[in-house]
Amino acid sequence: MTTIDRKPIGDDRGFLCRLYSDNEISRFGFSKGIAQINHTMTVKCGTVRGMHFQHPPHAEVKLVLCIRGSVYDVAVDLRAGSPTFLRWHGEILSADNNRALLIPEGFAHGFQSLEDNVELIYLHSAAYEPAAEGGVHHADPRINIDWPLPVADLSARDNSHDMIGDDFEGILL
């Protein structure tokens, strides 16, 4: 997982900030190209969305950017044999800090909105494949994510993700 600080170029008219450049982003491991771009808006502060991933061969690299408001963005390492297996990492992404999070294949991803009406842009290296969809419960005690706010809203789908069993050895990529 890599945090990328984007650098806006601005003047009194406003700014330009590159969302994506093949040349720049390939240094961080996003070398497969973009297969899908999603835009989300989350209405209520404290909402958790996630923790989602896709099973191989549809595993994906994601680049996540916040373009309105702020979120606590979280990725969990689900890769079999990884030295950081089942550890999570969180970053505040906001329209103000211009930070992006690059999430490798084999990680579950989700976020909590820190304000009302937040918007994210996701760049995916693989298209969404419903049959490859996977999820981890946001409150799984084996992961123990420290969400900054009480969970105010959660979809039925996200709340139905199973807890990780003791026999889970990870995702083979």
Side-chain angles (χ1 to χ4, degrees), residues 13-159:
R13 300 168 298 161
F15 70 89
L16 173 136
C17 190
R18 189 169 290 120
L19 293 178
Y20 178 85
S21 162
D22 277 341
N23 292 338
E24 293 173 6
I25 205 74
S26 63
R27 296 184 317 217
F28 299 108
F30 201 128
S31 57
K32 292 184 174 184
I34 297 171
Q36 182 170 307
I37 300 173
N38 294 333
H39 177 197
T40 65
M41 197 276 283
T42 303
V43 174
K44 187 175 179 184
C45 180
T47 298
V48 169
R49 289 184 182 241
M51 305 290 297
H52 307 137
F53 66 95
Q54 289 200 148
H55 291 278
H58 303 283
E60 61 188 343
V61 178
K62 291 181 187 176
L63 181 65
V64 183
L65 310 109
C66 183
I67 60 169
R68 181 178 181 195
S70 60
V71 300
Y72 189 64
D73 205 68
V74 176
V76 177
D77 189 352
L78 302 177
R79 300 170 299 171
S82 170
T84 58
F85 179 61
L86 295 185
R87 289 194 207 152
W88 62 274
H89 176 83
E91 287 282 340
I92 293 177
L93 305 181
S94 74
D96 292 333
N97 72 14
N98 289 302
R99 182 166 286 156
L101 195 60
L102 182 69
I103 302 165
E105 294 177 343
F107 280 70
H109 170 258
F111 69 89
Q112 183 175 48
S113 56
L114 300 177
E115 331 178 13
D116 291 343
N117 302 311
V118 299
E119 293 185 58
L120 298 180
I121 299 286
Y122 298 76
L123 288 73
H124 301 260
S125 67
Y128 173 69
E129 176 57 51
E133 180 179 79
V136 174
H137 199 278
H138 76 285
D140 192 308
R142 286 196 65 195
I143 300 168
N144 198 28
I145 298 169
D146 186 16
W147 298 106
L149 301 172
V151 176
D153 198 7
L154 188 70
S155 73
R157 173 182 160 232
D158 288 348
N159 200 37

